[in-house]
């Protein structure tokens, strides 16, 4: 599969058209996690429409290569849906953590059946949000090999467009997106949260080497363009002010170069020995000079924040013991998906009260434990184990066995996992789509390794 490689005379199929439609809606309106943002209406409506069109007139899906992704997504849907199933009053009142609510309703003559989720509206929103990953995996399953070749390129184009938007924000061009709850003046691109934007840029840094060294050779214009894109993405990452984004960017560059090593080596064979090392050294020197210039001009916000006290970060640390106590109280079934904000307010100590609210745990692993208890943790563990096994499979093959896209998919998931340790990126529709794309690419390559040879659409990036 290639970021830019396609069969002669290729015409985009239905899956490609629907995918571009959905990705356009995600780029415009899918950068916020809050359920009450106007962008959620556009994103979910678009996902529903493309899913209906794909089901009615699309080709028969090919599911074998992405079966693990389907099983995990199906399990997530089932778990969230179970949180909305009404339970008898006696059963509900016996659940852990419901004591304070049970006291509030004592004396009532008749008790209605209630769902496991303490905040049912939040659980309904969480279930509705899953229409996006369902639509993405459905479109991937009906895409032809040629259609799939353009998927990484489309994602990279979206990331570059977001970086250009972030650059405009950086230089002071006002842009207020009414579809997301962005902070005006912050370099967040098409995201409401700069950490989520930095993760999106890191995925772009991961994709660029594969676009440059794509199996057909790497002409000098492509190498130069790739270097320019990486410089753009790196500098915009500095401008976001996301300290975690710096680490994600470094990880992305290492994985991207390792994943594209086969193409890089083939390109090096056709060049003078001195040219590629000189080009790499020149790029590193240019990047270092640009970073130093940004720091000198006081425009590298991410580096500046490394040495500054962050009130928000301090609040996350102070709130973590409370979250851990809440997890212990609601185990083994959890408090219900999506209800962190009101549940935290029930347990928030007086010394943590402030004018702003603590919207998430800022550690999605802890929040999953709080929301879904042991079932959610077991599902998360199953997903991580599958990712680890599949990643080992695509990374341990001989260099001649080109599984670049699987390695990039593995890297995309690693970046999301790392980012989820200090934030909640997987709750935004755009990152949901990134997760599904990465998982589908990894699953397809890992499945192909079980056969005697990779299919034609998985041999190149």
């Amino acid at each position: 599969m290639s970021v830019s490689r396609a069969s002669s005379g290729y015409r985009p199929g239905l899956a490609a058209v629907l995918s571009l439609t959905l990705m356009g809606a995600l780029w415009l309106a899918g950068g916020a996690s809050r359920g009450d943002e106007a962008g959620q209406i556009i994103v979910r409506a678009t996902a529903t429409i493309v899913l209906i069109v794909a089901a009615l007139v699309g080709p028969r899906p090919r599911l074998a290569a992405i079966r693990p992704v389907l099983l995990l997504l199906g399990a997530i849907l089932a778990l969230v849906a179970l949180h909305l199933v009404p339970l008898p009053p006696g059963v509900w009142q016996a659940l852990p953590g419901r004591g304070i609510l049970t006291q509030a309703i004592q004396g009532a003559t008749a008790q209605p059946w209630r769902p496991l989720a303490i905040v049912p509206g939040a659980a309904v929103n969480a279930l509705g949000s899953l229409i996006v990953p369902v639509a993405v995996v459905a479109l991937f399953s009906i895409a032809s090999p040629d259609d799939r070749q353009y998927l990484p390129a489309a994602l990279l184009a979206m990331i570059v467009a977001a970086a250009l938007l972030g650059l405009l924000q950086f230089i002071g061009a006002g842009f207020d997106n009414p579809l997301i709850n962005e902070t005006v003046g912050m370099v967040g691109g098409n995201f409401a949260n700069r950490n989520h934007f930095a993760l999106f840029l890191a995925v772009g840094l991961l994709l660029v080497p594969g676009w440059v060294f794509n199996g057909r050779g790497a002409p000098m214009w492509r190498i130069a363009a790739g270097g320019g894109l990486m410089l753009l993405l790196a500098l915009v990452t500095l401008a976001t002010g996301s300290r975690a984004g710096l680490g994600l960017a470094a990880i992305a560059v290492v994985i991207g170069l390792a994943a594209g090593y086969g193409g890089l080596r083939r390109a090096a064979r056709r060049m003078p020995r001195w040219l590629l090392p000189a080009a790499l050294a020149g790029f590193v020197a240019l990047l270092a000079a640009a970073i130093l210039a940004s720091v000198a001009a006081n425009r590298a916000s991410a580096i500046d924040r490394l040495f500054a006290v962050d009130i928000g970060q301090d609040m996350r640390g102070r709130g973590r013991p409370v979250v851990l106590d809440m997890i212990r109280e609601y185990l083994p079934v959890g408090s219900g998906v999506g209800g962190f904000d009101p549940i935290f307010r029930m347990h928030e100590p007086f010394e943590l009260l402030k004018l702003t609210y603590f919207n998430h745990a800022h550690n999605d692993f802890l929040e999953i434990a709080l929301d879904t208890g042991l079932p959610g943790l077991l599902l998360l563990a199953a997903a991580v184990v599958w990712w680890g096994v599949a990643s080992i499979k695509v990374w341990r093959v001989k260099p001649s066995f080109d599984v670049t896209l699987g390695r990039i998919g593995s890297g995309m998931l690693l970046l999301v996992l790392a980012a989820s340790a200090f934030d909640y990126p997987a709750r935004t529709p755009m990152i949901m789509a990134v997760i599904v794309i990465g998982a589908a690419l990894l699953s397809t390559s890992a499945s192909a390794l079980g056969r005697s040879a990779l299919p034609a659409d998985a041999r190149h990036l």
Side-chain angles (χ1 to χ4, degrees):
M1 193 184 297
S2 167
V3 166
S4 60
R5 179 184 175 93
S7 301
S8 177
Y10 165 73
R11 289 186 177 182
L14 175 67
V17 174
L18 294 178
S19 296
L20 290 175
T21 301
L22 177 58
M23 293 174 77
L26 289 170
W27 190 94
L28 180 66
S33 61
R34 281 177 45 172
D36 59 352
E37 289 302 312
Q40 302 289 0
I41 300 174
I42 295 175
V43 167
R44 296 179 190 183
T46 305
T48 302
I49 292 170
V50 300
L51 191 59
I52 292 173
V53 172
L56 292 177
V57 300
R60 184 175 180 178
R62 293 179 289 273
L63 306 177
I66 57 172
R67 186 172 288 113
V69 182
L70 294 172
L71 292 175
L72 289 169
L73 183 55
I76 293 171
L77 285 165
L79 180 59
V80 176
L82 283 174
H83 278 225
L84 291 168
V85 175
L87 300 174
V91 174
W92 187 88
Q93 292 177 21
L95 294 175
R98 272 69 176 177
I100 185 173
L101 300 173
T102 301
Q103 293 175 8
I105 59 177
Q106 280 182 350
T109 55
Q111 291 295 325
W113 288 35
R114 293 181 173 88
L116 186 152
I118 295 177
V119 189
V124 170
N125 174 65
L127 185 62
S129 70
L130 295 177
I131 188 65
V132 172
V134 169
V136 174
V137 78
L139 295 177
F140 191 93
S141 70
I142 67 171
S144 68
D146 281 347
D147 285 338
R148 292 181 183 182
Q149 290 175 8
Y150 282 93
L151 185 58
L155 180 58
L156 179 58
M158 291 175 63
I159 295 170
V160 172
L164 293 175
L165 176 59
L167 186 61
L168 290 176
Q169 295 169 340
F170 177 62
I171 63 177
F175 180 78
D176 182 11
N177 187 345
L179 301 176
I180 62 175
N181 56 311
E182 66 174 351
T183 301
V184 178
M186 182 185 71
V187 180
N190 54 332
F191 285 85
N193 184 308
R194 60 184 164 200
N195 288 328
H196 304 169
F197 180 43
L199 169 62
F200 200 50
L201 296 173
V203 173
L205 288 168
L206 180 64
L207 286 170
V208 169
W211 174 74
V212 174
F213 306 105
N214 69 350
R216 293 189 306 172
M220 287 305 300
W221 72 266
R222 188 184 290 268
I223 294 176
L229 289 178
M230 294 191 74
L231 184 63
L232 169 68
L233 297 173
L235 292 178
V236 176
T237 299
L238 287 173
T240 62
S242 172
R243 293 175 290 191
L246 297 177
L248 293 176
I251 295 172
V253 171
V254 171
I255 297 176
L257 291 175
Y261 176 72
L264 175 64
R265 189 176 60 179
R266 286 191 295 271
R269 290 172 182 167
R270 298 181 290 103
M271 300 178 183
R273 288 187 176 183
W274 59 268
L275 182 58
L276 190 57
L280 291 175
F283 172 76
V284 171
L286 181 61
L287 178 60
I291 292 174
L292 290 175
S294 297
V295 172
N298 197 28
R299 305 304 295 272
S301 300
I303 292 179
D304 293 341
R305 293 183 71 243
L306 285 174
F307 307 100
V309 177
D310 189 333
I311 297 177
Q313 187 69 30
D314 179 61
M315 177 59 193
R316 298 176 193 182
R318 294 170 60 200
R320 188 154 297 134
V322 180
V323 174
L324 292 173
D325 288 340
M326 292 166 62
I327 291 172
R328 285 189 286 267
E329 180 173 345
Y330 287 100
L331 282 175
V333 295
S335 63
V337 292
F340 179 86
D341 172 27
I343 299 298
F344 184 81
R345 296 187 195 195
M346 291 170 51
H347 298 267
E348 188 174 16
F350 181 80
E351 58 269 20
L352 293 185
L353 292 177
K354 53 190 178 65
L355 295 178
T356 56
Y357 70 101
F358 198 42
N359 62 339
H360 285 283
H362 295 274
N363 181 318
D364 244 1
F365 304 115
L366 294 181
E367 194 161 339
I368 288 171
L370 173 62
D371 287 354
T372 60
L374 287 179
L377 288 175
L378 290 174
L379 184 54
L380 175 62
V384 172
V385 168
W386 169 78
W387 166 78
V389 172
S391 296
I392 291 173
K393 186 178 292 186
V394 300
W395 279 100
R396 69 182 300 178
V397 293
K398 296 179 180 179
S400 59
F401 212 95
D402 195 349
V403 285
T404 307
L405 273 190
R407 294 175 176 180
I408 285 181
S410 170
M412 290 166 64
L413 296 180
L414 176 61
L415 291 175
V416 175
L417 286 171
S420 297
F422 51 82
D423 224 302
Y424 47 95
R427 298 176 187 269
T428 63
M430 186 69 252
I431 302 301
M432 286 184 187
V434 169
I435 292 171
V436 173
I437 291 171
L441 295 175
L442 174 59
S443 181
T444 300
S445 290
S447 175
L449 286 171
R451 300 189 291 272
S452 59
L454 284 171
D457 68 307
R459 292 178 183 165
H460 301 287
L461 177 69

